[in-house]
């Protein structure tokens, strides 16, 4: 079985819990994350803008954990691409250059399914993707989510329940699944 390859848009990397969920599930071998230097730069910029502090340590950990995730878009590829937000063309170029299966993003309007399908790509929202992976491999995803919960509890200095943590991260479908 081929492990799917997903470009992680910066918007799914900025919230720490969501990022931790995605990277731990990827670490369990359920998909291969892909990104570019520009996506990582957007991650760092958005984290700082949201008052989340520096993302440098998290980015360094991600690069160390997934050294093959870095994709350099092919020269000139962006010139032939069109999206509603031209600022997102680099994400599509990364996906094409990395032979990705999908782009994981909350930004549905910026990545029309028809445009992506024309490039052999899909768009996945992180909640639907993680729910689907959990439904096929509950033990692996459950173990990854326990790591997320434990890290959140360590940061909070107090116990943290998993389902509310996931809901706050926008993972409502996954939260219902793991709590039911």
């Amino acid at each position: 079985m081929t492990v799917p390859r997903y470009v992680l848009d910066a918007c799914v990397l900025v919230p720490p819990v969501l990022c931790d969920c995605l990277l731990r599930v990827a670490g369990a071998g359920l998909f291969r994350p892909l990104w570019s230097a520009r996506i990582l730069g957007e991650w760092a910029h958005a984290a700082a803008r949201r008052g989340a502090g520096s993302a440098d340590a998290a980015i360094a950990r991600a690069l160390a954990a997934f050294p093959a995730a870095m994709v350099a878009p092919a020269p000139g590829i962006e010139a032939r691409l069109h999206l509603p937000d031209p600022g997102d063309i680099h994400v599509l170029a990364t996906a094409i250059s990395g032979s990705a299966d999908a782009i994981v993003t909350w930004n549905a309007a910026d990545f029309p399914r028809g445009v992506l399908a024309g490039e052999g790509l899909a768009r996945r929202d992180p909640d639907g993707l993680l729910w689907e992976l959990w439904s096929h491999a509950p033990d692996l995803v459950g173990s990854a989510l326990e790591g997320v919960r434990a890290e959140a509890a360590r940061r909070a200095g107090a116990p943290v329940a998993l389902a509310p943590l996931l809901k706050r991260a926008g993972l409502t479908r996954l939260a219902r699944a793991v709590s039911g």
Side-chain angles (χ1 to χ4, degrees):
M1 179 174 130
T2 304
V3 176
R5 300 160 59 96
Y6 300 134
V7 169
L8 302 180
D9 192 7
C11 68
V12 302
L13 294 170
V14 174
V17 170
L18 176 54
C19 179
D20 199 15
C21 287
L22 288 165
L23 295 183
R24 286 179 188 266
V25 169
L30 295 173
F31 72 90
R32 181 173 165 208
L34 300 174
W35 45 64
S36 66
R38 185 162 171 195
I39 291 170
L40 296 181
E42 287 184 353
W43 176 8
H45 179 75
R49 192 176 67 238
R50 291 180 67 180
S54 174
D56 293 346
I59 291 170
R61 284 191 303 276
L63 289 170
F66 303 101
M70 186 65 76
V71 173
I77 194 168
E78 290 184 29
R80 74 166 183 81
L81 301 174
H82 300 282
L83 287 173
D85 181 351
D88 286 323
I89 290 174
H90 71 97
V91 178
L92 178 56
T94 300
I96 294 166
S97 298
S99 301
D101 296 291
I103 296 171
V104 180
T105 185
W106 289 120
N107 298 328
D110 292 341
F111 295 97
R113 290 194 192 280
V115 172
L116 296 183
E119 298 293 344
L121 294 161
R123 181 187 71 235
R124 299 299 308 267
D125 75 86
D127 190 26
L129 172 65
L130 290 168
W131 175 84
E132 181 182 313
L133 294 172
W134 177 83
S135 68
H136 294 318
D139 292 340
L140 288 173
V141 175
S143 179
L145 295 177
E146 175 52 31
V148 171
R149 189 210 56 75
E151 176 60 18
R154 185 193 67 74
R155 286 183 184 165
V160 173
L162 181 59
L165 180 69
L166 296 175
K167 284 181 185 176
R168 284 191 303 276
L171 302 173
T172 54
R173 191 172 182 190
L174 181 62
R176 281 192 305 273
V178 300
S179 64

